[in-house]
Amino acid sequence: MKDFKSHFRFNKRERSGIFFLLLIILLLQAGYVLFLYFPIAKTKSAFSEDREVQAKIDVLKEKALQKDSVKVYPFNPNFINDYKGYTLGMSVDEINRLHIFRKQNQYVNSSEEFQKVTLVSDSLLAMISPYFKFPEWTQKTNRKSEVGNKIAKNSEYDQNSIGIKDLNKATSEDLKSVHGIGDKLSQRILKFRNRLGGFLVDDQLYDVYGLEPHVVKIALKSFKVIEKPDIKKININMASVEEMVQLVYLRKKVARRIVEYRNINGGIGSFDELTKIEDFPSDKIDRIKLYLTL
């Protein structure tokens, strides 16, 4: 018991130390309570400074976006490369038409000629033509380029002075007189004509692989189907698969499905029934009907 009491006996210095320790603990506890109940409010000035900084950041972002945007300077449209054409909004076909035109050592000398060659839309032309910069001599004279004259002759065809040629008798050289048709395409047209046995309607020229619609439109100013070939029509209810595939518009798997369809349904009563067959080229039904009979 005597030893137990000795643990609670302190001299004057020890009692002072214990007192100050307890005082510090109480002060810390009181400070913590005050902090919880009376939080430090943010000053209004600090908030206003953040807004000013954010405004500066927004201005810098806008300037950065302006630097990233493509700025168009005046240029000669005869020398548009692939990247330049892409940034201007031109399609791949429009850019290629200009390149083919330039390979013939020809130049466009006006916005109108540029549109005739590239076939860009009116809206795109209106956007980019203000930046066109042609040589000075083109602005002082009304002289058109040789290709411009050629396009004009094909587009504004004078039937009385030249005359329309028969599309079924046209030679490779005749076809190459059309702007946009070279050796390869002229031979392809002749090969397609031979496979058909001859063109029955003018619009069949659109079916030649690789021939651009605008080139066909120009070609039909000079060539028409005048003498139609004598075609032996295929009886769709009697023909075999091998006979049907002789028609260039029908693939072998489609011919097989036609035979299966007529076997299941007891025959084909109208050409419209053909459009129900899987993979049948319905967009060319008007052409195909010219070679079939029921």
Side-chain angles (χ1 to χ4, degrees):
M1 192 67 167
K2 190 181 289 186
D3 294 335
F4 178 76
K5 289 182 178 179
S6 66
H7 291 292
F8 295 95
R9 291 177 180 176
F10 304 100
N11 56 35
K12 187 177 180 180
R13 181 177 294 178
E14 290 172 339
R15 286 195 298 271
S16 297
I18 293 172
F19 172 77
F20 285 112
L21 177 61
L22 293 173
L23 180 62
I24 291 172
I25 293 173
L26 289 173
L27 290 174
L28 290 174
Q29 290 292 335
Y32 178 71
V33 172
L34 290 173
F35 177 78
L36 291 177
Y37 284 94
F38 302 98
I40 299 174
K42 293 183 179 180
T43 60
K44 189 174 180 179
S45 61
F47 179 73
S48 62
E49 289 178 358
D50 290 344
R51 293 185 60 182
E52 291 176 1
V53 172
Q54 185 60 47
K56 292 180 180 179
I57 293 174
D58 292 339
V59 171
L60 292 174
K61 284 183 178 180
E62 290 180 4
K63 290 182 178 180
L65 289 174
Q66 291 176 358
K67 289 181 180 179
D68 290 338
S69 62
V70 178
K71 190 172 182 180
V72 181
Y73 297 93
F75 63 94
N76 189 330
N78 287 290
F79 302 101
I80 294 177
N81 55 29
D82 291 339
Y83 175 75
K84 180 73 172 180
Y86 173 77
T87 57
L88 291 173
M90 295 175 65
S91 68
V92 175
D93 289 338
E94 291 166 349
I95 298 170
N96 287 340
R97 291 185 195 114
L98 179 63
H99 290 173
I100 293 171
F101 178 75
R102 287 287 294 110
K103 284 181 180 178
Q104 301 174 6
N105 289 325
Q106 305 295 341
Y107 295 85
V108 294
N109 297 315
S110 67
S111 300
E112 291 75 16
E113 287 185 7
F114 179 83
Q115 186 177 34
K116 285 182 180 179
V117 172
T118 60
L119 300 180
V120 297
S121 63
D122 293 338
S123 58
L124 180 59
L125 183 69
M127 289 174 59
I128 64 177
S129 59
Y131 299 99
F132 287 176
K133 184 178 181 181
F134 295 102
E136 291 184 4
W137 65 267
T138 63
Q139 309 303 316
K140 296 178 181 179
T141 65
N142 293 323
R143 186 178 71 86
K144 293 184 178 180
S145 66
E146 294 179 4
V147 173
N149 287 329
K150 190 173 184 179
I151 293 173
K153 288 179 182 178
N154 285 318
S155 303
E156 301 171 2
Y157 183 74
D158 186 352
Q159 182 175 343
N160 295 326
S161 62
I162 302 178
I164 295 176
K165 295 182 180 179
D166 190 348
L167 187 58
N168 283 318
K169 294 181 180 180
T171 65
S172 176
E173 292 300 319
D174 293 333
L175 294 169
K176 285 192 291 184
S177 66
V178 177
H179 177 67
I181 298 179
D183 292 331
K184 190 174 181 179
L185 284 176
S186 64
Q187 292 300 322
R188 192 175 291 171
I189 293 170
L190 297 181
K191 184 178 179 180
F192 185 75
R193 184 178 70 185
N194 292 336
R195 289 186 63 193
L196 287 173
F199 292 107
L200 290 178
V201 293
D202 299 339
D203 286 350
Q204 285 181 291
L205 195 59
Y206 284 99
D207 301 333
V208 178
Y209 176 75
L211 198 57
E212 295 284 347
H214 76 279
V215 177
V216 175
K217 189 175 180 181
I218 294 174
L220 291 180
K221 297 288 184 179
S222 303
F223 298 94
K224 301 283 185 183
V225 175
I226 298 175
E227 293 185 16
K228 294 183 179 180
D230 185 15
I231 298 294
K232 183 180 179 181
K233 293 189 176 184
I234 300 171
N235 189 321
I236 199 67
N237 283 306
M238 301 292 293
S240 64
V241 172
E242 288 70 22
E243 289 173 327
M244 280 189 279
V245 294
Q246 297 302 314
L247 181 56
V248 297
Y249 295 108
L250 296 179
R251 291 181 294 173
K252 194 166 187 177
K253 67 176 183 179
V254 175
R256 286 174 180 162
R257 287 171 181 161
I258 292 174
V259 173
E260 292 173 1
Y261 179 89
R262 78 187 186 197
N263 290 340
I264 294 172
N265 295 276
I268 298 174
S270 68
F271 292 120
D272 291 337
E273 288 185 61
L274 294 174
T275 60
K276 300 177 183 178
I277 298 172
E278 185 180 358
D279 293 329
F280 185 85
S282 301
D283 58 323
K284 292 183 172 59
I285 184 65
D286 292 335
R287 310 234 213 302
I288 295 173
K289 287 193 297 186
L290 298 173
Y291 297 87
L292 302 179
T293 185
L294 297 173

